[in-house]
Amino acid sequence: MTTSVALIGANGHGMYHRRHVAEFAERGLVRLVALADTRPVVDPPEGVPVYTDHAALLAETKPEVVIVCTPPHTHLELTRDALRAGADVLLEKPPVLDRAEHDALLAEQDATGRVVQVGFQSLASPALVRLRAAVAAGELGTVRQISVLGCWRRDDAYWSRSPWSGRRSVDGRPSLDGALANPFAHAVMQTLAVLDAPVLRVEIDWLRVRPIEVEDTATLRITLADGARVLVAVTLAGEEHVDGELTVHGDRGVAELAFREDLLRLPADRAAVLVEGRESLLENLLAHRATGAPLLSGLARTAAFTTVIEQLRVAPPPYQVAPQALAVDDGHRTLVGVNAVLRRCAAEGALMNELSTPWGANGPDGTANG
């Protein structure tokens, strides 16, 4: 049966969803019934109506699935309206930015009988499923630390891609368009998914290399209810590229996961092994509608991520490093030495301000955000 799909937020990252929906339409699984955006839609498909008002879209086209790909501060209203209109929702990450809104959406799911799948592709990794099974079976012993290292580069144009880029708030609403809540949100979510334990404490040390409101470089430490710690060490001003190395440290051994490639090395493996069987989150949502298959990234499963984001909202803002700490070339600003520092943080479970870093003296009172 063909499922009717609408996309709210058709420009920017919405173009990715349009391509994905088109692939499913070619297979006869879906049909795109409407697009919506507050700005003029780029290259709308012929015959597909375009709206600026999402309420009119929902009322007139009655889609069975709605993809919401808009700034985070708009997610609550748009998703709630889609659920009340009878649609299931594929909601871009981060789902919302505080637990009150997260709980409100969970309640709306229950009230409407519909579901929300959150766009954390990292949770669709079959390698993560195998890693979780290995942890549950005791193959690593007691897990003490989970760390992830990611070093990417984003140029000046990235931070001007939209009115909410690099902002902590938009129109009085939190936005948090920084490294942790947006590009590295997948990494944060995946570290939390290894154990699925409640979050007890959140510590942060973060900075920025250009005049934005959010972090582009951060170390985040999360203490879980079972005593394990998560350490996320990431930058968008990196030197050599590190896609996202996730490491699980147990008292019996270490596991390593590369979720994009679905590569996993468990303690008994000499080398990383490809784990096959990945499906997209839209495909999984369609399977849930058709057969009741469990959602890979259901709203309830992402609550720990929202708990972390809520704590980041009230943390002191990231400090800006001095220009002499940077190498600037063709719109890129590289934080010199950042890869080595973050790799050490990930290995030791330390925040940047707990190490002697080349940039610590540029923060307030000679430190960062302790």
Side-chain angles (χ1 to χ4, degrees):
M1 179 179 294
T2 302
T3 301
S4 58
V5 176
L7 171 61
I8 301 176
N11 294 313
H13 188 60
M15 297 294 289
Y16 161 80
H17 288 287
R18 286 163 62 177
R19 291 190 295 269
H20 198 44
V21 169
E23 293 171 4
F24 278 69
E26 289 179 1
R27 295 163 55 187
L29 298 175
V30 305
R31 56 188 177 89
L32 181 64
V33 297
L35 299 172
D37 206 290
T38 56
R39 296 170 294 166
V41 172
V42 176
D43 296 328
E46 185 177 354
V48 176
V50 175
Y51 294 80
T52 56
D53 180 3
H54 76 278
L57 177 153
L58 294 171
E60 295 175 16
T61 66
K62 296 179 172 54
E64 295 167 288
V65 169
V66 172
I67 302 172
V68 175
C69 184
T70 60
H73 65 281
T74 67
H75 285 182
L76 175 63
E77 177 187 4
L78 295 175
T79 304
R80 184 167 51 197
D81 288 352
L83 293 172
R84 290 176 178 176
D88 293 319
V89 177
L90 176 56
L91 174 63
E92 260 302 336
K93 51 76 183 165
V96 286
L97 297 174
D98 65 56
R99 280 303 300 268
E101 290 192 352
H102 200 110
D103 292 343
L105 280 185
L106 287 171
E108 204 65 53
Q109 277 192 142
D110 292 341
T112 60
R114 308 318 310 169
V115 298
V116 178
Q117 172 103 293
V118 182
F120 284 111
Q121 291 98 327
S122 58
L123 296 184
S125 170
L128 175 63
V129 175
R130 183 170 295 182
L131 172 60
R132 283 168 46 86
V135 169
E139 293 182 35
L140 283 76
T142 301
V143 173
R144 302 300 187 189
Q145 178 177 307
I146 304 163
S147 63
V148 66
L149 171 68
C151 300
W152 299 358
R153 300 182 75 197
R154 291 292 184 265
D155 62 11
D156 292 339
Y158 173 83
W159 297 104
S160 60
R161 68 193 188 281
S162 70
W164 58 282
S165 299
R167 302 281 301 277
R168 281 179 68 91
S169 63
V170 177
D171 298 329
R173 298 285 305 281
S175 177
L176 294 185
D177 181 46
L180 292 168
N182 196 351
F184 286 109
H186 298 291
V188 177
M189 183 68 253
Q190 194 167 55
T191 60
L192 294 169
V194 172
L195 294 176
D196 275 340
V199 172
L200 285 187
R201 186 183 183 195
V202 175
E203 302 167 272
I204 184 71
D205 182 39
W206 49 7
L207 57 85
R208 51 195 171 93
V209 304
R210 49 174 53 84
I212 54 178
E213 298 175 2
V214 295
E215 84 289 354
D216 51 44
T217 302
T219 45
L220 167 69
R221 186 164 58 209
I222 305 164
T223 303
L224 303 176
D226 60 3
R229 284 185 168 184
V230 167
L231 197 290
V232 178
V234 294
T235 184
L236 298 175
E239 297 163 321
E240 68 275 9
H241 181 82
V242 180
D243 195 47
E245 300 175 357
L246 187 146
T247 307
V248 183
H249 302 266
D251 56 15
R252 290 186 182 177
V254 173
E256 297 174 340
L257 171 65
F259 88 85
R260 290 179 188 270
E261 294 83 16
D262 293 325
L263 294 172
L264 175 65
R265 187 185 68 81
L266 295 173
D269 298 328
R270 292 184 178 181
V273 175
L274 175 64
V275 183
E276 297 182 302
R278 178 183 283 260
E279 62 178 333
S280 75
L281 294 176
L282 177 57
E283 186 175 12
N284 175 241
L285 178 57
L286 296 176
H288 174 81
R289 289 175 51 86
T291 68
L295 291 176
L296 293 171
S297 188
L299 183 63
R301 192 180 185 191
T302 67
F305 178 87
T306 304
T307 298
V308 171
I309 292 299
E310 184 174 51
Q311 293 301 306
L312 298 184
R313 283 181 50 194
V314 299
Y319 71 92
Q320 185 165 351
V321 298
Q324 56 265 32
L326 308 176
V328 181
D329 177 45
D330 193 26
H332 286 93
R333 306 187 190 197
T334 301
L335 184 57
V336 178
V338 67
N339 280 47
V341 170
L342 293 184
R343 187 171 293 279
R344 185 180 166 197
C345 288
E348 299 180 17
L351 301 178
M352 287 182 292
N353 60 0
E354 294 172 342
L355 305 180
S356 177
T357 71
W359 340 284
N362 298 315
D365 302 321
T367 66
N369 300 293

